[in-house]
Amino acid sequence: MRALAGAVPSESRLRADARRNSEQIRSAAIGAFQGRGLTVPLEEVAKAAGVSKATIFNRFGGRIGLIDAVIEEVVATELFAVIDHTRTIDDVGERIAYYLTAIRDLQYRQPAVNDVLLQTYPHSRQLMEICRAGSEINDELIAAARASGALRPEFTAGDLHALVVDNALALKHGERPPRDDYDRRTGYLLDGIRGCQSASGDR
């Protein structure tokens, strides 16, 4: 029997439905994760996508698979852009000031950045790769700073990491400060870690 004209084979229709569902889930997850972080209940993502929670598991295997599928758009693109630009700045003091200011800006604007820095989902391969890249730039900055005197000599890569993580904890679990206060405190932080050579050069 010949198929009716214009009829879509059932298998093709199912594949199209699956692709549409996947894109709806991705779009909903990006919006939810950017707005509220990676811990948003999957029920809310499913509702925004117009699908069931089971569909998220069917398409992505659960939260970790979904994070890996969208983390580039949610966090990685902006964060890697900050890292790449940091490496183009010749002056070490300016390099550190830019990096720390830009990271703190991302932490304030993008709650998912704090989930990444806190390694909230260590089974996410993509999330842990972002953390690895962050550790690498931290080590680079501190090594350059020690050679140039841009930072206090006792300030370590571990200290830089702790400052970023402490800020992530405060933003995720504490009261969110007004933006003006937040930026003012970024300035205090930078003043506190600058080395003598950097401080004298600013006078």
Side-chain angles (χ1 to χ4, degrees), residues 121-191:
Y121 296 105
H123 297 299
S124 166
R125 181 178 59 82
Q126 301 286 0
L127 186 152
M128 296 308 293
E129 175 60 22
I130 295 171
C131 291
R132 185 203 61 76
S135 294
E136 188 176 86
I137 188 67
N138 282 3
D139 291 343
E140 287 180 22
L141 287 172
I142 296 303
R146 286 186 170 177
S148 69
L151 292 180
R152 297 167 67 102
E154 70 273 22
F155 191 80
T156 67
D159 293 326
L160 179 56
H161 175 74
L163 287 175
V164 173
V165 169
D166 288 349
N167 191 47
L169 287 168
L171 288 170
K172 185 170 179 64
H173 300 295
E175 184 176 349
R176 187 180 180 84
R179 184 68 201 236
D180 287 347
D181 289 345
Y182 184 82
D183 290 342
R184 180 166 49 85
R185 290 161 190 162
T186 298
Y188 292 153
L189 187 153
L190 289 168
D191 288 343

Side-chain angles (χ1 to χ4, degrees), residues 50-154:
V51 302
S52 69
K53 182 179 175 181
T55 302
I56 294 178
F57 280 83
N58 289 337
R59 297 287 178 264
F60 296 95
R63 184 182 298 274
I64 300 303
L66 184 57
I67 288 172
D68 283 343
V70 302
I71 197 69
E72 182 173 356
E73 291 94 331
V74 176
V75 171
T77 297
E78 275 198 274
L79 186 57
F80 286 143
V82 167
I83 291 173
D84 289 344
H85 184 69
T86 297
R87 288 177 170 140
T88 70
I89 300 173
D90 292 330
D91 182 83
V92 178
E94 291 179 9
R95 194 183 313 160
I96 292 167
Y98 166 78
Y99 176 74
L100 199 47
T101 300
I103 290 298
R104 283 176 58 88
D105 173 62
L106 279 180
Q107 288 183 275
Y108 193 90
R109 292 189 296 103
Q110 296 281 16
V113 170
N114 296 314
D115 289 318
V116 170
L117 294 171
L118 295 172
Q119 299 185 15
T120 305
Y121 296 105
H123 297 299
S124 166
R125 181 178 59 82
Q126 301 286 0
L127 186 152
M128 296 308 293
E129 175 60 22
I130 295 171
C131 291
R132 185 203 61 76
S135 294
E136 188 176 86
I137 188 67
N138 282 3
D139 291 343
E140 287 180 22
L141 287 172
I142 296 303
R146 286 186 170 177
S148 69
L151 292 180
R152 297 167 67 102
E154 70 273 22

Side-chain angles (χ1 to χ4, degrees), residues 194-203:
R194 285 191 176 104
C196 293
Q197 181 174 323
S198 177
S200 63
D202 291 339
R203 292 192 184 104

